[in-house]
């Protein structure tokens, strides 16, 4: 019997051969080889695109239903070295004729902003204004993956996946059928590409992890394919969306028109700098300062939170960035205010660096307090219990049942929302006339006269009047409008400062700004 089994196994290996591929995999391979022949993907070791276009600030739209805020790329170049899994993207941003509102930069941006981002294998970095490298190794994986959805990278990576598969898809109205290839790379990233009758890659749809959107959709359209020599073709027009969602809208992220594409040129300056190679992995750092009785600043990173003790519960103002930061802020709040439930998390505005920790607070059981403009996006996109496959978080691993009880605990307001036990109070006020975010709130604690603000300064004491930003003038005007009696400013970015300094620094700028007419909004 044993011999028979061995014989059967041997025969099946002989008959089927080592390449036991399902038909779809064979069809995918044939299509990918035709696509490779059409554009010469496997001949491309490196490639440099240069051109101009537009670029947006992800997660920084004016409201959740607006398109992303964008600026012009006066120059743009992308260098890809496929063999070394390395890439460099350089751009010079200028305001151009784009609407000066939203976050990500102080709009309108003045002059030129240069940015250079790089990846090489498991290392990622950017160059600062002085041209020095700053490690961003936690972004290396996603940046490396983006190499495999570039026009030639897609074909290379799909050919490398033995399980790549293809399906036909009719685009109704377009009157044609495209073939869609799907593959997986780097163990977990899935990408699909649509090929036309000429075997040209027209579009890629994929997902990258994001604290707010989860498995966030990325769509890239490649058009205007041209010959660049040696049997290689490249698309001269690249249009990218990031963060599209059927319940929100299409989010235009980048549009680049190449003026020149060169394949297989010498690739310089992609050596990993020692400072990047030796950089310590980023970790969540918590530094707590008592601001007043029952009020603590939780700092230590790029974004602050404030914990407030009430008679029967605790409240946190702002759970920023991501799951890791938010869970650390929650743990610190429990240490500071033991034995009391974190009943509320007050959110200043929807920008992703400020809302990326809301899901952890939700998983904790907290009620999210935010402007009514965010209700649909938070309830139906951000806080939903769907799995997050690329970077599972606390809420996706411990979801609420959609049938209840809870969560659905979102409190929204238009102008003002107060949490109070008769002694301690936390009051959110909608900020008017601010071009950064239509849903922006400042959060006032009447007992301690603390005012918490995000992305509005305050400027350092003694800042010359001409250097005071319109954001800080807007903060000043809203304090006056609401007649708030403030003694201490606690910004989400940076250190607390006194209102006396604020009056001295921003007061003259506000007086000067007034005759200039209404602010851009
Ligand atoms: Zn913001």
């Amino acid at each position: 019997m044993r011999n028979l089994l061995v014989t059967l196994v041997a025969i099946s290996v002989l008959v089927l051969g080592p390449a036991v591929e399902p038909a779809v995999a064979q069809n995918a391979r044939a299509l990918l080889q035709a696509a490779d022949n059409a554009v010469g993907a496997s001949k491309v070791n490196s490639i440099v695109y240069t051109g101009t276009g537009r670029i947006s600030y992800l997660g920084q739209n004016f409201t959740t239903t607006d398109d992303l805020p964008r600026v012009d790329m006066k120059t743009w170049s992308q260098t890809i070295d496929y063999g070394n899994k390395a890439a460099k993207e350089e751009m010079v941003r200028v305001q151009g004729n784009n609407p000066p509102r939203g976050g990500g930069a102080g709009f309108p941006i003045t002059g030129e902003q240069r940015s250079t981002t790089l990846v090489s294998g498991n290392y990622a970095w950017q160059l600062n204004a002085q041209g020095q490298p700053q490690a961003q190794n936690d972004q290396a994986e996603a940046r490396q993956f983006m190499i495999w959805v570039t026009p030639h990278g897609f074909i290379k990576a799909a050919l490398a996946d033995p399980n790549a598969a293809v399906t036909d898809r009719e685009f109704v109205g377009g009157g044609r059928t495209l073939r869609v290839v799907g593959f997986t790379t780097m163990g977990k990233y899935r990408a699909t590409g649509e090929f036309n009758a000429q075997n040209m890659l027209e579009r890629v749809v994929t997902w990258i992890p994001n604290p707010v959107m989860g498995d966030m959709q990325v769509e890239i359209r490649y058009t205007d394919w041209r010959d660049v020599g040696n049997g290689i073709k490249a698309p001269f027009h690249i249009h990218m969306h990031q963060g599209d969602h059927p319940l929100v809208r299409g989010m235009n992220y980048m549009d680049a028109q190449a003026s020149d594409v060169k394949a297989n040129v010498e690739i310089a300056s992609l050596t990993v700098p020692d400072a990047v190679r030796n950089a310590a992995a980023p970790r969540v750092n918590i530094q707590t300062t008592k601001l007043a009785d029952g009020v603590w600043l939780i700092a230590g990173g790029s974004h602050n939170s404030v914990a407030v003790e009430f008679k029967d519960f605790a409240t946190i103002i702002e759970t920023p960035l991501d799951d890791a930061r938010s869970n650390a802020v929650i743990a610190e709040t429990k240490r500071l205010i033991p034995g009391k439930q974190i009943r509320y998390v007050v959110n200043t505005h929807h920008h992703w660096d400020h809302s990326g920790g809301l899901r952890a607070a939700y998983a904790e059981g907290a009620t999210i307090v935010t402007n009514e403009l965010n209700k649909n996006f938070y309830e139906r996109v951000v806080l939903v219990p769907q799995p997050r496959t690329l970077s599972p978080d606390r809420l996706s691993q411990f979801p609420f049942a959609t049938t209840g009880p809870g969560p659905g605990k979102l409190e929204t307001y238009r102008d003002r929302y107060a949490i109070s036990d008769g002694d301690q109070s936390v009051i959110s006020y909608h900020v008017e006339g601010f071009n950064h975010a239509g849903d922006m709130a400042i959060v006032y604690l009447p007992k301690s006269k603390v005012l918490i603000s995000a992305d509005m300064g305050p400027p350092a004491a003694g800042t010359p009047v001409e250097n005071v930003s319109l954001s800080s003038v807007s903060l000043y005007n809203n304090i006056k409008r609401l007649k708030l009696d403030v003694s201490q400013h606690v910004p989400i970015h940076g250190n607390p400062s006194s209102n006396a300094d604020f009056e001295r620094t921003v007061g003259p700028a506000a007086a000067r700004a007034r005759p200039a007419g209404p602010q851009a909004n």
Side-chain angles (χ1 to χ4, degrees):
M1 190 64 196
R2 188 169 176 275
N3 282 344
L4 181 63
L5 261 180
V6 170
T7 313
L8 279 174
V9 169
I11 287 172
S12 64
V13 168
L14 273 175
V15 170
L16 298 171
V20 188
E21 283 185 283
V24 282
Q26 285 169 16
N27 293 344
R29 180 155 291 271
L31 169 57
L32 288 164
Q33 270 153 4
D36 190 6
N37 290 338
V39 301
S42 55
K43 288 183 239 173
V44 180
N45 302 316
S46 65
I47 195 159
V48 181
Y49 295 81
T50 52
T52 57
R54 291 197 304 241
I55 186 77
S56 300
Y57 296 85
L58 187 64
Q60 299 288 333
N61 43 4
F62 183 65
T63 72
T64 59
T65 52
D66 283 295
D67 198 357
L68 301 174
R70 66 188 179 210
V71 294
D72 286 355
M73 294 191 290
K74 187 182 164 193
T75 62
W76 165 78
S77 83
Q78 191 181 23
T79 303
I80 303 154
D81 176 352
Y82 288 107
N84 291 309
K85 300 174 185 170
K88 172 167 78 169
E89 189 166 42
E90 289 181 286
M91 62 184 75
V92 171
R93 297 183 175 98
V94 294
Q95 182 64 40
N97 288 322
N98 302 290
R101 67 177 202 175
F107 293 121
I109 59 174
T110 49
E112 300 185 344
Q113 287 185 353
R114 177 174 294 275
S115 100
T116 307
T117 52
L118 305 99
V119 61
S120 181
N122 297 324
Y123 299 99
W125 67 102
Q126 65 177 6
L127 301 183
N128 67 12
Q130 289 73 43
Q132 293 156 334
Q134 295 177 313
Q136 299 176 316
N137 293 331
D138 55 337
Q139 293 174 42
E141 186 181 281
R143 268 187 214 165
Q144 190 191 130
F145 167 64
M146 292 303 284
I147 292 174
W148 305 122
V149 290
T150 58
H152 306 102
F154 184 97
I155 295 167
K156 288 171 183 281
L159 278 168
D161 177 7
N163 297 315
V166 64
T167 185
D168 286 349
R169 181 179 292 159
E170 280 183 53
F171 284 79
V172 177
R176 58 194 193 135
T177 300
L178 294 180
R179 283 161 302 159
V180 187
V181 171
F183 72 92
T184 304
T185 188
M186 296 168 67
K188 67 177 183 184
Y189 289 91
R190 176 97 183 147
T192 64
E194 297 167 5
F195 290 84
N196 64 21
Q198 289 74 45
N199 305 312
M200 305 296 284
L201 179 59
E202 291 193 350
R203 174 156 62 175
V204 173
V205 178
T206 187
W207 300 265
I208 56 176
N210 178 273
V212 170
M213 300 301 290
D215 294 352
M216 178 176 77
Q217 191 172 92
V218 176
E219 176 194 339
I220 318 170
R221 292 174 220 164
Y222 296 124
T223 50
D224 192 12
W225 287 83
R226 299 185 205 170
D227 253 306
V228 298
N230 299 315
I232 296 168
K233 285 191 174 72
F236 275 56
H237 185 211
I238 299 174
H239 183 78
M240 188 189 302
H241 284 203
Q242 288 199 10
D244 286 2
H245 193 287
L247 292 175
V248 188
R249 54 165 293 152
M251 293 288 176
N252 289 284
Y253 180 69
M254 188 186 81
D255 190 277
Q257 182 66 49
S259 50
D260 188 38
V261 179
K262 283 191 170 66
N264 299 331
V265 292
E266 197 85 28
I267 301 293
S269 75
L270 285 187
T271 312
V272 181
D274 285 345
V276 174
R277 198 176 286 278
N278 301 327
R283 56 180 198 92
V284 177
N285 185 34
I286 294 286
Q287 277 172 19
T288 297
T289 314
K290 186 172 176 182
L291 296 170
D293 280 345
V295 184
W296 294 269
L297 174 68
I298 303 177
S302 59
H303 293 62
N304 302 327
S305 301
V306 174
V308 182
E309 181 168 15
F310 287 80
K311 197 148 60 75
D312 302 319
F313 59 89
T315 291
I316 300 174
I317 294 110
E318 209 82 316
T319 48
L321 295 175
D322 55 24
D323 218 45
R325 178 81 201 169
S326 191
N327 282 319
V329 168
I330 288 166
E332 178 66 358
T333 301
K334 287 178 160 179
R335 188 187 72 80
L336 295 164
I337 309 170
K340 294 185 185 176
Q341 191 201 349
I342 300 167
R343 193 172 293 170
Y344 298 99
V345 165
V346 177
N347 167 231
T348 62
H349 65 306
H350 74 284
H351 287 168
W352 292 2
D353 55 323
H354 293 262
S355 59
L358 289 177
R359 284 174 56 86
Y362 212 52
E364 175 74 19
T367 295
I368 310 295
V369 177
T370 193
N371 189 278
E372 65 181 14
L373 289 172
N374 302 331
K375 184 176 167 62
N376 196 41
F377 181 61
Y378 282 14
E379 279 184 346
R380 304 183 69 190
V381 180
V382 181
L383 300 172
V384 294
Q386 269 68 20
R388 294 180 160 214
T389 63
L390 295 170
S391 183
D393 65 5
R394 181 172 165 186
L395 187 56
S396 70
Q397 289 172 305
F398 301 92
F400 280 99
T402 46
T403 52
K409 288 181 293 188
L410 192 70
E411 294 280 345
T412 61
Y413 61 91
R414 180 171 300 178
D415 298 317
R416 181 184 184 277
Y417 188 92
I419 300 164
S420 183
D421 62 8
D423 176 37
Q424 185 67 271
S425 301
V426 166
I427 310 174
S428 299
Y429 291 101
H430 176 240
V431 171
E432 292 181 4
F434 186 34
N435 71 350
H436 182 90
D439 60 312
M440 182 63 84
I442 48 177
V443 184
Y444 182 57
L445 279 57
K447 189 180 173 191
S448 53
K449 299 182 180 175
V450 160
L451 184 70
I452 298 151
S453 62
D455 301 345
M456 305 186 83
T463 297
V465 63
E466 62 272 18
N467 292 351
V468 172
S469 70
L470 281 178
S471 304
S472 292
V473 170
S474 180
L475 176 58
Y476 184 94
N477 291 339
N478 276 279
I479 292 169
K480 297 298 173 197
R481 174 179 66 84
L482 296 163
K483 300 184 171 65
L484 302 181
D485 179 11
V486 177
S487 70
Q488 194 177 20
H489 286 265
V490 178
I492 297 298
H493 303 285
N495 298 316
S497 56
S498 75
N499 192 59
D501 279 342
F502 182 76
E503 282 283 350
R504 265 192 299 274
T505 309
V506 186
R512 215 163 85 156
R514 218 164 284 132
Q519 268 181 258
N521 187 22

